Amino acid sequence: MTDCKGCSATVHVSSEEIAQLFGETLRIRNVKLTTEEEYDRRMSVCQSCEAYQFGTTCRHCGCLMAVKAKLAAAHCPAPQGSKW
């Protein structure tokens, strides 16, 4: 198993920190968001994926998936092809 691009096993991000980062993203750019249903579907796929680490991060791209899954233009970075 390869390591996450941007993390180590000692890295953990709280729900509050994720919410703060997401708020910063929205303030900086005018981004289109997914519906809550699509967000929930994407996160369900992530949570069942072996590359989802620490309950927050994708091993393939190093992204916080609770943020990335909300962005309408984002895609799953799985090397074999997007799962969502």
Side-chain angles (χ1 to χ4, degrees):
M1 178 152 92
T2 55
D3 292 330
C4 175
K5 286 185 176 185
C7 303
S8 72
T10 62
V11 175
H12 294 280
V13 182
S14 71
S15 301
E16 293 80 19
E17 291 169 311
I18 290 172
Q20 182 179 4
L21 289 168
F22 190 65
E24 291 296 322
T25 299
L26 291 180
R27 276 194 292 280
I28 294 169
R29 302 172 63 184
N30 183 19
V31 295
K32 290 190 178 190
L33 304 178
T34 64
T35 64
E36 280 300 310
E37 293 80 17
E38 177 62 9
Y39 171 75
D40 290 342
R41 184 187 75 78
R42 289 178 176 193
M43 286 306 300
S44 178
V45 171
C46 290
Q47 291 164 349
S48 67
C49 181
E50 67 183 29
Y52 190 63
Q53 298 181 322
F54 315 116
T56 57
T57 309
C58 176
R59 184 180 71 223
H60 298 301
C61 66
C63 293
L64 295 171
M65 296 313 288
V67 174
K68 187 171 187 173
K70 272 285 204 187
L71 306 175
H75 66 279
C76 166
Q80 68 275 18
S82 182
K83 296 180 181 183
W84 45 259

